Amino acid sequence: MSEIETIISGVGSYLPERILTNAELAKTVDTSDEWIRSRSGIAQRHLAADGQATSDLAREAAWAALGQAGLKPKDIGLIIVATVTPDKTFPSTAVYVQEKLGTPPCIAFDVSAACAGFIYALNIAHGFIASGQVKHALVIGAEKLSCFLDWNDRGTCVLFGDGAGAVVLSAETPSVAGPKRGMLATYLSADGRLAPHLYADGGPSTTGTVGLVKMNGKEVFRNAVEEISGAVFEVTERAEVSRHEIDWFVPHQANIRIIQSCAKKLELCESKIIVTIDKHANTSSASIPLALDAGIRDGRIKRGELLVFAALGGGLAWGSALIRY
Ligand code: COA
C-alpha cells in the first residue's frame, strides 16, 4: 500500500419519516414497551414507505455525505452499497444509487456481510484508494429491513428498523506535521459455521423467495460481545494505539446490553460511546454511519479525534476499523 491517506471527507444519513414506537408496535405484536426497552434499549424505529426502495434511502444519505465533503456526483470513482435488502437480486443497489445521483460511469457494486457490511465496504474502498485506483469513494450502508421481518415473530420484529448512512472516503497526501489521518487499521472476519444463528430462510438459488429473518438471540448476543470487543483489541494492536486513546466508540447498534458489555471488556467509559439504538433500532449495515453522522451533527465527534467502529451480524461476520477523523 502507498503512503496515501484515506480520510473521511463527508458523512450523511437518512431516516424515513414514519416512526413506529414500541407502544404502537405492542398493539399488533404480543410485546410491551417495557420488555423491548429493558432487553434491547430500543424505544422506536423508522420504517420506509411502501414505494421507497433501499436505493432511495441510500441516495439521500449519499447526497448528504457528498454535500458535506463539498463534492459533486461526477467526482466519485467508486460506489459501494452494503446491504442485505437490495432493490433487486441483480443488478446491484449501487448502480441504482449511481443512476439516482446522476454519477457518470464509475465502479459500483454491493457488499453482503449483513450488520458488518459497512465495515467490510469501508475496508474494500480503502484498498481502492490506497492503491491509487480512485480518489473519492462513496461507502453506503442502507437497509429496508422491514420488508423481510416476520411481524408475527416477536423475538425478531421488535429489534430492527430502516435507514441509511454514508461516508465519502478521499485520498489525501499526508501532512508533514501531526499524526496520520483517516483509516489507521481494519480487521475483518467471518465464521460460516455460525450461520444458523442469524439468517434469512430464503434465497434465489434455494427457495426462490426472499425469506424472513431467523435468529437465535442468545447465541448472537454471546458472539457479538466476544467478537466486537476482540475486533477492537485487534485494530488498536495493529495501529499500535492504546485503547485509552480512543475518543469515540461507534459500535453497531443491535442491543444496548451488547454495547455496554463490550465497553466493560474494553474498559471504555460510557460517555465515549455513540448510542442511537433507542431512536433507530438495529438498521444492520446502516447503523454505524447513522450513529457516526448523529455524533458529528450534535457536535460530539470532532475532526482529529480517534474513532473505532465495530460490528457483528449474520454470517456470522464481524470487523472493526480505527480511524482518525
Ligand atoms: N416481547 C415480550 N417478550 C418477549 C419478546 C418480546 N418482543 N421476545 C421474546 N420474549 C420472551 C421470550 O418468549 C421469553 O419468554 P419465556 O421466558 O416465557 O420463554 C422471554 O421473553 C425471554 O426471552 P429471551 O430470549 O431469554 O430474552 P433475552 O434476554 O435473551 O433477550 C434478545 C432477547 C433478542 C433481545 C437478545 O437475546 C438479543 O438482543 N440478542 C442479540 C440480537 C441481535 O443483536 N441481533 C442482531 C445482531 S446484528
Side-chain angles (χ1 to χ4, degrees):
M1 292 280 174
S2 66
E3 288 306 305
I4 296 169
E5 287 176 341
T6 305
I7 64 150
I8 296 182
S9 55
V11 181
S13 63
Y14 174 77
L15 288 160
E17 241 170 73
R18 163 100 166 96
I19 292 175
L20 179 67
T21 63
N22 291 346
E24 234 181 311
L25 189 56
K27 288 181 190 160
T28 53
V29 177
D30 180 17
T31 188
S32 67
D33 177 49
E34 198 282 327
W35 192 96
I36 303 171
R37 272 182 206 264
S38 62
R39 299 293 176 114
S40 70
I42 296 165
Q44 61 173 48
R45 71 284 296 139
H46 289 250
L47 299 183
D50 282 345
Q52 248 178 339
T54 295
S55 63
D56 295 315
L57 314 184
R59 190 261 175 209
E60 296 305 315
W63 188 255
L66 280 172
Q68 206 198 69
L71 295 172
K72 300 235 161 1
K74 68 172 175 46
D75 300 319
I76 294 299
L78 165 68
I79 302 173
I80 309 181
V81 177
T83 189
V84 291
T85 50
D87 288 21
K88 295 196 162 60
T89 304
F90 82 91
S92 67
T93 302
V95 299
Y96 291 115
V97 175
Q98 178 192 30
E99 188 262 325
K100 286 174 182 174
L101 284 171
T103 310
C106 70
I107 309 164
F109 59 92
D110 289 359
V111 162
S112 173
C115 300
F118 180 74
I119 308 247
Y120 269 68
L122 207 60
N123 200 339
I124 296 165
H126 173 40
F128 273 91
I129 288 178
S131 61
Q133 293 182 73
V134 297
K135 185 157 170 45
H136 302 289
L138 259 172
V139 180
I140 308 165
E143 304 287 3
K144 186 177 174 181
L145 295 168
S146 57
C147 67
F148 80 155
L149 289 175
D150 180 351
W151 292 97
N152 295 312
D153 175 13
R154 66 179 183 172
T156 53
C157 74
V158 303
L159 301 174
F160 299 93
D162 301 335
V167 300
V168 178
L169 289 184
S170 298
E172 277 279 322
T173 312
S175 62
V176 224
K180 187 174 190 296
R181 294 164 306 164
M183 304 282 284
L184 303 182
T186 54
Y187 167 72
L188 301 177
S189 194
D191 186 347
R193 291 170 301 181
L194 305 175
H197 294 323
L198 182 56
Y199 64 101
D201 65 349
S205 68
T206 50
T207 59
T209 62
V210 172
L212 297 171
V213 175
K214 301 288 166 194
M215 183 178 74
N216 174 349
K218 280 194 196 312
E219 277 305 311
V220 175
F221 193 110
R222 200 178 56 74
N223 279 282
V225 173
E226 197 59 32
E227 302 302 352
I228 288 175
S229 47
V232 174
F233 279 118
E234 193 67 42
V235 279
T236 49
E237 260 173 40
R238 287 182 183 189
E240 296 177 357
V241 162
S242 154
R243 284 194 322 286
H244 305 291
E245 290 174 55
I246 294 170
D247 292 300
W248 294 105
F249 179 33
V250 189
H252 171 47
Q253 311 282 319
N255 185 315
I256 190 66
R257 294 186 293 136
I258 293 177
I259 296 173
Q260 287 164 342
S261 303
C262 292
K264 200 167 161 202
K265 272 180 165 256
L266 294 164
E267 295 170 359
L268 285 178
C269 148
E270 285 197 21
S271 62
K272 289 184 166 189
I273 309 171
I274 305 291
V275 174
T276 52
I277 178 100
D278 52 334
K279 295 192 184 68
H280 303 170
N282 182 347
T283 56
S284 191
S285 65
S287 92
I288 290 178
L290 268 163
L292 174 67
D293 194 36
I296 292 169
R297 274 189 291 113
D298 68 20
R300 279 178 293 169
I301 299 177
K302 296 179 192 68
R303 281 284 174 196
E305 289 187 326
L306 195 59
L307 317 180
V308 69
F309 304 159
L312 171 138
L316 297 181
W318 58 94
S320 57
L322 187 74
I323 293 152
R324 186 163 301 280
Y325 177 63

